[in-house]
Amino acid sequence: MKMLIPSLALALLVAGAAQAAPGDDDMLKLATASGCMTCHHIEPGAKGPGGLPPIGPAWKDVAARYKSEKGAQQQLTAIVMAGSSPYDSHWKDKVSGLAMPPNKVAIKEADAARLVAWILAMEK
């Protein structure tokens, strides 16, 4: 089981990297090291291991949804750090996960803010 997790993370990184824009290596490394790629993909419609539906929304879908929303970076950074409520899921019926877990043990807030800014800059 311990060998499966790093292998899964590497497979997701490779799959995500194939869909990323040039120069995004640092952000993909940060996302993978922080565990983000376990639940999220870059491109909509990407499947998880074994063809399972995604746990969290694709980042290009996140970028499209929040592109013109004021304060989106601060709001999403707060969700990354503290998690979200399963009773307030605005991605319901689009992903298999109900809520985002808190990630303050996995990523520093400044890094989360950089990652969110990178996600919000993605084009659909």
Side-chain angles (χ1 to χ4, degrees), residues 59-102:
W59 285 336
K60 287 191 177 182
D61 286 342
V62 172
R65 176 173 276 183
Y66 288 94
K67 189 170 192 112
S68 59
E69 190 170 316
K70 226 174 179 189
Q73 183 173 352
Q74 294 78 14
Q75 177 187 359
L76 293 175
T77 300
I79 290 172
V80 169
M81 298 309 290
S84 66
S85 167
Y87 304 108
D88 193 26
S89 178
H90 54 275
W91 292 100
K92 195 173 189 173
D93 301 326
K94 296 186 184 335
V95 298
S96 64
L98 294 175
M100 184 163 176

Side-chain angles (χ1 to χ4, degrees), residues 1-42:
M1 181 67 169
K2 288 183 181 182
M3 291 298 291
L4 179 63
I5 303 263
S7 299
L8 176 61
L10 180 60
L12 290 172
L13 174 62
V14 170
Q19 315 261 336
D24 293 339
D25 291 344
D26 289 342
M27 290 290 97
L28 285 170
K29 286 177 186 174
L30 174 61
T32 301
S34 302
C36 305
M37 301 301 288
T38 303
C39 298
H40 296 278
H41 298 285
I42 293 173

